[in-house]
Amino acid sequence: MKYVPRAALFLGIPALLFLVPWWLLVYTTSSGAVFWGGTGVFLVGYACLPVGMVLGHGRAQSDAAVVVGNTLLGAVWVLFSWSVIGAVVRAGLIVGGVEDPVRSRIVAVGVLAVWAGLVGWGMVEARRVPRVRTVDVTIPGLGRGLDGLRMVVVTDTHFAALNRLRWSERVVEVVNEQRPDIACHAGDLADGPVVRRRPQVEPLGKVDAELGRFYITGNHEYYGDAPGWIEVMTSLGWEPLHNRHRIIERGGDRLVVAGIDDPTGIALDGHGPDLPAALSGADPALPVILLAHQPKQIADAVKFGVALQISGHTHGGQIWPFHYLVRLDQPVVAGLSRHGDHTQLYTSRGTGFWGPPLRIFAPSEITVLVLRTPNR
């Protein structure tokens, strides 16, 4: 019985996602053979979605099922969202006196056209090499020797069932073109077993950053093999900041780069965020740059006077209008924001994508954070 609520959600949410488009596109527009044919298509889709998720993300770990299930999930989410908008338009046409079947068919054609265009565009956006986003961040207390220091951030690469080895190589090329002093990976490296995903991750070993390459775990590492991914990144020359810090020095000035685990890590012995441990032994007079996967970890960063927290996790919503749901869980969806009196937060939209191979109105990014001294 304890699994009944979970099963109800697992089946109920897809039912809603398919029911609204079915009503708008099939029920209101057709009859006879067309009606039953359209209904059959929606029923097949509804059956395939949970099956794909179970076979892909369950014990079977089928990559083919992952691709089918995730793609179907993204496609039906877009169709559901625009069907809701279509229903509002349909109501407006009723008020305007437009009669059926013209009214329903206009809306159906419009929704299908927008859906097809957005899904096609979203797939291209998800698979492209991310655009570079450069942001100047003024850090109080930053010495002049560190002015202009370039931190290049990638996050949420989510190497998974779709083989993106060439994409990974191109991302590394773009990162190196930015001449990073420090390179950071802010978590959610990959989904799935290390033995399957490692080839896609290995190009990261070619990132060139003179002052250090730092990595933290995201929540998805803890859904799989976090210790294994920490070992892989170590072998590639990246330093995992597992509740630790390092002192960066240039031109006679210093700052602290620290990292903490994702909150999901508390389920694994010896893991979970511990900011006091991460800052233990650090000079409190030095500015602190903190890698923390989730933006909501900013609450602790503010308490400890962190100058800048760098996060990912949100993907900027990834598929519009999902960012409204993300905002219910996180204080920020994307960009640079200020918290408390002294702490800033930069939230990346992510470099890759999770699940559905779509990005709609939430472009991926490789971020260059240029640290600046006040009144330089």
Side-chain angles (χ1 to χ4, degrees):
M1 291 299 294
K2 67 180 180 180
Y3 296 111
V4 170
R6 188 181 302 175
L9 282 174
F10 186 68
L11 296 175
I13 292 175
L16 178 64
L17 292 178
F18 279 94
L19 183 62
V20 173
W22 169 81
W23 173 80
L24 189 78
L25 303 177
V26 177
Y27 182 79
T28 65
T29 63
S30 60
S31 61
V34 174
F35 172 84
W36 289 111
T39 299
V41 169
F42 274 89
L43 287 174
V44 169
Y46 173 65
C48 287
L49 180 55
V51 170
M53 290 298 178
V54 169
L55 292 178
H57 299 282
R59 292 182 180 180
Q61 292 286 299
S62 167
D63 281 354
V66 167
V67 173
V68 171
N70 287 346
T71 302
L72 185 56
L73 176 62
V76 75
W77 167 255
V78 177
L79 188 59
F80 167 81
S81 301
W82 286 90
S83 292
V84 171
I85 295 172
V88 174
V89 172
R90 187 174 186 274
L93 293 177
I94 292 175
V95 173
V98 179
E99 299 290 339
D100 261 342
V102 173
R103 176 179 66 229
S104 296
R105 290 174 181 173
I106 288 174
V107 172
V109 169
V111 167
L112 284 174
V114 171
W115 170 75
L118 286 178
V119 168
W121 174 61
M123 286 185 173
V124 172
E125 277 291 301
R127 299 294 295 272
R128 66 167 292 150
V129 175
R131 300 167 181 86
V132 175
R133 180 176 172 82
T134 302
V135 181
D136 282 10
V137 185
T138 299
I139 304 295
L142 187 72
R144 292 194 174 278
L146 293 165
D147 182 58
L149 184 138
R150 298 170 67 82
M151 300 186 70
V152 179
V153 180
V154 296
T155 183
D156 299 280
T157 44
H158 287 283
F159 294 111
L162 282 172
N163 191 331
R164 288 181 288 147
L165 175 59
R166 179 55 188 153
W167 178 88
S168 179
E169 293 169 343
R170 284 289 296 122
V171 165
V172 169
E173 291 172 6
V174 173
V175 167
N176 286 337
E177 288 170 2
Q178 308 315 307
R179 299 172 287 104
D181 298 302
I182 295 173
C184 305
H185 193 300
D188 280 4
L189 176 66
D191 295 293
V194 170
V195 66
R196 290 194 198 177
R197 310 302 181 224
R198 177 166 183 156
Q200 297 180 63
V201 173
E202 285 183 340
L204 293 177
K206 296 180 180 179
V207 168
D208 184 17
E210 181 180 356
L211 299 181
R213 299 177 292 176
F214 303 107
Y215 161 71
I216 59 167
T217 50
N219 54 308
H220 279 252
E221 279 88 343
Y222 292 106
Y223 300 151
D225 182 9
W229 286 119
I230 289 173
E231 182 179 338
V232 167
M233 290 298 276
T234 301
S235 72
L236 295 175
W238 289 69
E239 181 173 358
L241 294 178
H242 174 40
N243 296 321
R244 299 167 59 191
H245 75 268
R246 281 290 174 263
I247 303 298
I248 302 300
E249 184 170 355
R250 190 178 75 173
D253 291 304
R254 299 184 299 159
L255 76 135
V256 177
V257 175
I260 54 176
D261 297 346
D262 186 82
T264 316
I266 60 173
L268 185 63
D269 188 40
H271 288 254
D274 190 341
L275 189 50
L279 298 178
S280 178
D283 184 346
L286 297 179
V288 176
I289 310 298
L290 175 68
L291 302 181
H293 182 64
Q294 297 196 38
K296 65 183 178 183
Q297 293 176 274
I298 192 66
D300 286 338
V302 170
K303 292 178 184 177
F304 283 85
V306 167
L308 172 66
Q309 175 177 309
I310 300 170
S311 298
H313 186 65
T314 68
H315 299 204
Q318 186 167 318
I319 305 174
W320 186 92
F322 197 77
H323 66 287
Y324 291 114
L325 298 179
V326 173
R327 188 63 180 81
L328 297 176
D329 183 56
Q330 301 291 335
V332 176
V333 175
L336 186 65
S337 55
R338 184 171 293 276
H339 303 262
D341 295 330
H342 307 290
T343 303
Q344 296 178 83
L345 165 66
Y346 186 82
T347 305
S348 169
R349 290 188 177 93
T351 309
F353 60 86
W354 175 83
L358 301 171
R359 273 190 174 269
I360 297 175
F361 306 139
S364 56
E365 64 181 79
I366 294 169
T367 317
V368 181
L369 299 178
V370 183
L371 306 190
R372 296 298 186 184
T373 59
N375 302 318
R376 65 183 188 280

